[in-house]
Amino acid sequence: MTARILVVDDIEANRSLLETRLTAEYYDVITAEDGQRALDICASSPVDLVLLDVMMPGIDGFEVCRKLKASPETCHIPVVIVTALDEMADRVRGLEAGADDFLTKPVNDMQLLARVRSLLRLKMLTDELRLRAVTARDIGLDKLFDADGGDEGGKKPEVLVIEERQSSFDSLVRPMRREFSVSRGEDPQAGVFTAVEGDFDCIFVASRYENFDALRVCSQLRSLDRTRFVPVILVADADDDELVGRALELGVNDYIVRPADPNELIARLRTQVRRKRYHDGLRANIAQSIELAVIDGLTGLYNRRYLETHLETLVARARSRERNLSLLITDIDRFKTVNDTYGHDAGDDVLREFARRLRDNVRGMDLACRYGGEEFVIVMPDTSAEVAADIGERLREQIERDAFLVANGADSLPVTVSVGVATLSRDGDEDARALVKRADEALYEAKAAGRNRVVSDAA
């Protein structure tokens, strides 16, 4: 994963040190020597993450963070305050200003890089949701979510704490009770079931259980549909550095070290709840606003109209940031025979089931669309030609392996699919139309060569 990271510090040696560390991980790093310059850069060019010093001439880091988070154009950019200040009051002040994390100099490399990767994944998801919301507005739909975080009518946020030890649970939740409604999972497995059955705004996971791996709990929460987007905060011990790094790689949103300072705990929890409600609002608005206009009524996937509007933006963004973008076109083989032999109701059953399998084989950031008839398109940001071809082959194998049930399960049909793959050229000025055309030509090759195969045109 590549990204554009802004390092803000008035001391050149500090900027150079962070720039060297991040460049070694293949990030695109830009620097600013003061707060105003940082604000100007964020306002005028794409930035994926800000590493921000506090003590600077002019506008200090706290004020820069507040200004970034107050602007609708920059509020979604993750901000990590990196400073020599190590007092708890400074940490809480930074979090209350809207910072996503607070790291004390000298910065531990493992913690820095794990936190950077975690926040960049979150930024990618936020970008995709925002982009889809803007697309809905641009194609003439009236309502675009005003993402202010919402208070859901004054209802207390629901928090789940998965903690075996009663004393540890009591000490952790004591400062929460005034502002949050707290539930407990008394053991890891029961806690996961409670999380799935409930509607929680945040989940705390203890780093140590008597007979269960805490990372397994985090992995389960991230893999289940009901909890995939619920913020998870790891409650770690002071010597859990390696475990914290692995947890962040698994998708944990944040962590706090025991004994937790009550003010820091509440500040971090508020941040996670605010972000979740922001994302929930975007998702809900997208679903409500574009369903009739850009959702295919039969399969529930986006339709061709949405693809043609959205793909131009994705191509432009991939090109400006020098990132990969791949596109798959799939075509159900001999679909007319299904309609002619079994009827159009059976054909509709096949299309609906194919769309479901398509959704199961793509990531949350990917865009799956019904292109028309029995053709479907998948757009995959940050995906190389090789990975895209592997995904196409995995989909092809699954379609061929598992027969399709029709007529409420009364009949089953063998189905195969042909797939054409194209990846955006890094050279020249290829547009969305040209990318689709190359994928379509690859699909034609696959069908001409006997169907039930994947052909890739990487340009």
Side-chain angles (χ1 to χ4, degrees), residues 225-246:
D225 287 342
R226 289 276 296 169
T227 57
R228 183 165 296 154
F229 299 115
V230 180
V232 175
I233 299 178
L234 184 73
V235 185
D237 294 327
D239 58 350
D240 280 340
D241 285 355
E242 183 176 351
L243 184 142
V244 167
R246 293 181 65 191

Side-chain angles (χ1 to χ4, degrees), residues 265-279:
L265 172 66
I266 296 302
R268 289 186 182 276
L269 182 50
R270 285 173 180 162
T271 295
Q272 295 304 326
V273 170
R274 183 171 61 247
R275 183 184 291 130
K276 178 181 182 294
R277 291 185 173 179
Y278 176 83
H279 285 169

